[in-house]
Amino acid sequence: MIFLPVIGLYFLRSGAIPITRDQGINALKKMGRNAKRAVKEKRSMMIFPQGTRVSPGVSTKEKPYLPGVFFLYSQTKVSVVPVAHNAGLLWPKNSFIKYPNRLRSKSVTIQILSEIQPGLSKQDFLTKLENIISNSFGFGGTNVSIIFTKFDKQ
C-alpha cells in the first residue's frame, strides 16, 4: 500500500511499517523491530492478517492468515482488536474504481470486534481470531483488519 498514489505517502509520513515480502525472515525481523518501537511510542498498528485486502467471500481456507499476524502478536505482547468491514464490496481489490451502486447504503460498515488479550499460543490465537471474525455480522463479504494496540488502563 506504500506505493499507492497519495495514500502511500500518507502511510509513510504517519509512521506506517512497510513490509517487504520478498525479503522473507529479514522482513519479519525488521517488522518486529519496528512494531516494538511503535508500541514503545504508544502507537497503534494495523495489519491485514491475510497479507492484503481479500475479495469478499474468500474464506481463510482459500486465503489463510499469514505468519506476520501471529508474529506481531507474539513479539509486541499487546492486545489485538479485530475489525471487520465491507469495504471490499464498494472498492474491490485491484481496482482503482469504486462501485457504490453495489449496495443500497453506499457506505462502508465497520464492526469493532472483541479484543484478544496477549499471551495465547499460536493455535489458540489464530482459532480465537477466526472464530471472532466468522461470528461478526455477515454481510456477505467481510474484509478484516487487525489493530494491535496498547491501551493505557487508567
Side-chain angles (χ1 to χ4, degrees), residues 25-42:
I25 191 70
N26 290 329
L28 277 178
K29 289 178 183 177
K30 184 176 180 182
M31 185 173 66
R33 286 190 305 271
N34 289 333
K36 288 176 184 178
R37 185 177 318 120
V39 168
K40 284 182 185 176
E41 295 171 359
K42 298 184 179 182

Side-chain angles (χ1 to χ4, degrees), residues 2 6 10 25 30 34 36 38-39 52 70 73 79 86 88-89 121 123-124 132 136 152:
I2 297 298
V6 182
Y10 170 78
I25 191 70
K30 184 176 180 182
N34 289 333
K36 288 176 184 178
V39 168
T52 187
F70 178 74
Y73 171 76
S79 300
N86 68 343
L89 295 174
S121 69
Q123 186 60 48
D124 289 344
I132 289 170
S136 68
D152 290 325

Side-chain angles (χ1 to χ4, degrees), residues 40-149:
K40 284 182 185 176
E41 295 171 359
K42 298 184 179 182
R43 292 187 296 135
S44 295
M45 293 169 279
M46 182 185 82
I47 186 172
F48 293 96
Q50 291 153 308
T52 187
R53 293 182 303 146
V54 176
S55 298
V58 174
S59 72
T60 55
K61 302 280 186 259
E62 298 169 81
K63 183 83 172 149
Y65 297 150
L66 296 180
V69 68
F70 178 74
F71 180 78
L72 283 178
Y73 171 76
S74 66
Q75 293 293 302
T76 59
K77 298 175 177 52
V78 295
S79 300
V80 168
V81 180
V83 177
H85 58 87
N86 68 343
L89 295 174
L90 299 168
W91 194 352
K93 180 175 172 52
N94 299 323
S95 174
F96 188 72
I97 300 170
K98 299 177 194 81
Y99 297 96
N101 295 328
R102 289 187 176 179
L103 295 178
R104 278 189 312 190
S105 70
K106 297 179 179 53
S107 61
V108 174
T109 304
I110 297 173
Q111 184 176 16
I112 310 298
L113 304 171
S114 300
E115 178 179 345
I116 301 173
Q117 295 295 323
L120 297 177
S121 69
K122 182 177 183 177
Q123 186 60 48
D124 289 344
F125 170 73
L126 292 175
T127 299
K128 185 168 190 165
L129 179 61
E130 189 164 350
N131 287 338
I132 289 170
I133 291 164
S134 67
N135 291 325
S136 68
F137 56 112
F139 37 60
T142 304
N143 293 121
V144 181
S145 304
I146 305 297
I147 298 178
F148 291 84
T149 188

